[in-house]
Amino acid sequence: MPSVLVVEDDPSIRQSLIEVLAEQGYAVRSAADGFGALREVTQAPVDAIVLDLGLPDLDGGDALRMIRGISSVPVLVATARDDESEIINILNAGADDYLVKPFSGGQLLARLSAVLRRTGGASPASAGGTAGAPPAQAGEPLRPTVVGELAVDPGARTVHLAGQELRLTRREFDLLAFLAHHAGQVVSKRRLLTEVWREPYVDDQTVDVHLSSLRRKLGERASAPRYLLTVRGVGIKLVAPR
């Protein structure tokens, strides 16, 4: 699965970018400033970086040059600066492409996919493996599971709640299928990232985004859970409502 590091200091914009990318199957990590981005790049490799220029600790151009000093990872710059000379400077500093704010999620995904194609990377649609295939569980096939009124069938890749089929994204289904396979057990976010995402170094926010979406589709909230219970500081477990 392609991994992307989102470097953006604005929390709401950062969360929006994470959601757009995670929804399309990217494994997402994030940083709120330039030095945080450098730490992420040195700790574990990523396939691409979406880099905001208006960072609180470093100018984005300086952060880009520092990243280029340690990595050739493709960098897509997101900037509110539309001055031609500024954009030329950024490209000359090592950016692979740029987007001028505001931009749509569709524009981001298209530019990112194009950058990955040009640099030999793979977008989620072209990454290895069969699209829609459930995650392997140490060689053990997943079996249909019923938890309360929730029925999860990994073979058919269907989920029914009280007889009504739910429309889930591929990653939402994989996450729910894994939790159903371990129903009643507390599963850590780190284990979910390792066994569902196959990316142990991805930001925990990736799991949070998908859990939030699953809760909406299951008709519950984190403050009033029914099936997805959070055990603070430990993880998440799937249970039958009482």
Side-chain angles (χ1 to χ4, degrees):
M1 182 195 315
S3 57
V4 179
L5 173 62
V6 172
V7 186
E8 168 63 60
D9 66 313
D10 185 300
S12 61
I13 296 176
R14 185 170 65 248
Q15 185 64 24
S16 295
L17 295 177
I18 290 171
E19 291 180 1
V20 167
L21 293 167
E23 180 71 19
Q24 292 300 311
Y26 288 98
V28 188
R29 289 153 55 189
S30 67
D33 53 42
F35 286 114
L38 292 168
R39 283 194 299 271
E40 289 290 335
V41 172
T42 56
Q43 285 175 1
V46 291
D47 294 302
I49 297 175
V50 178
L51 175 66
D52 176 42
L53 291 187
L55 300 175
D57 58 344
L58 288 173
D59 178 79
D62 292 334
L64 174 61
R65 292 179 185 89
M66 295 172 74
I67 289 170
R68 276 290 164 261
I70 59 175
S71 174
S72 60
V73 60
V75 177
L76 176 60
V77 165
T79 176
R81 311 170 191 175
D82 58 1
D83 180 73
E84 182 179 0
S85 62
E86 182 76 20
I87 290 171
I88 290 172
N89 288 336
I90 289 299
L91 293 173
N92 286 337
D96 294 272
D97 203 349
Y98 69 93
L99 279 168
V100 176
K101 295 179 179 180
F103 52 82
S104 67
Q107 287 178 304
L108 170 65
L109 294 169
R111 291 290 185 93
L112 184 57
S113 180
V115 164
L116 287 170
R117 285 197 306 271
R118 290 199 302 268
T119 56
S123 64
S126 61
T130 303
Q137 310 299 332
E140 180 183 356
L142 296 181
R143 298 179 297 276
T145 304
V146 177
V147 180
E149 294 185 299
L150 184 67
V152 182
D153 187 341
R157 290 191 68 82
T158 58
V159 175
H160 289 81
L161 179 61
Q164 299 295 313
E165 185 170 359
L166 302 182
R167 295 177 60 88
L168 304 181
T169 66
R170 186 178 85 170
R171 190 61 63 201
E172 288 168 355
F173 180 89
D174 289 345
L175 174 58
L176 186 59
F178 186 87
L179 291 172
H181 185 65
H182 299 278
Q185 302 176 29
V186 180
V187 181
S188 70
K189 292 181 183 178
R190 189 54 50 193
R191 184 180 179 190
L192 291 173
L193 288 170
T194 300
E195 300 197 37
V196 178
W197 272 262
R198 304 290 181 181
E199 289 280 352
Y201 299 107
V202 178
D203 197 308
D204 285 358
Q205 286 180 295
T206 299
V207 178
D208 293 334
V209 169
H210 285 80
L211 286 173
S212 177
S213 180
L214 273 177
R215 282 193 169 101
R216 288 196 301 271
K217 294 179 180 181
L218 291 172
E220 62 182 64
R221 304 185 307 278
S223 59
R226 297 179 64 242
Y227 286 95
L228 297 173
L229 299 186
T230 298
V231 180
R232 188 174 298 278
V234 182
I236 191 86
K237 66 177 176 178
L238 181 72
V239 298
R242 295 180 178 179

